[in-house]
Amino acid sequence: MKDLLKLLPQLLGMMPGIVKFLKYIPILMILVGIGYGAMYWTQNYKDPYKCVDNEIYEQVRIDSNVYKFKGGYCIDGGTK
């Protein structure tokens, strides 16, 4: 207990330095959220176009497996 009381002035002396950096925590949380969102999007991105029988089809909605004819020609999945 006496050791803790001896350290108390040092701990209290460090508090202004610690509190000074607390204002940056919300900014860091926002940046981390943006970074995580970008990483999640790149990991789960699905191309809305498909090449079937050398013709291009576009996905109707992101949550469906329905494609409509878009037009144009494609070779090996690439568009011309």
Side-chain angles (χ1 to χ4, degrees), residues 17 37 46 51 62 75-76 79:
K46 184 178 170 189
C51 181
I62 198 161
I75 299 171
D76 295 331
T79 60

Side-chain angles (χ1 to χ4, degrees), residues 23-34:
K23 64 182 175 184
Y24 297 114
I25 289 177
I27 296 168
L28 291 174
M29 289 176 65
I30 290 170
L31 292 175
V32 167
I34 291 170

Side-chain angles (χ1 to χ4, degrees), residues 24-72:
Y24 297 114
I25 289 177
I27 296 168
L28 291 174
M29 289 176 65
I30 290 170
L31 292 175
V32 167
I34 291 170
Y36 179 76
M39 185 183 74
Y40 180 82
W41 183 79
T42 57
Q43 296 287 328
N44 295 310
Y45 177 73
K46 184 178 170 189
D47 191 16
Y49 296 98
K50 226 179 206 181
C51 181
V52 178
D53 295 331
N54 293 332
E55 294 179 330
I56 301 171
Y57 290 86
E58 182 182 19
Q59 191 175 15
V60 175
R61 285 193 328 258
I62 198 161
D63 60 345
S64 73
N65 290 329
V66 178
Y67 290 84
K68 68 177 181 177
F69 179 69
K70 187 69 177 171

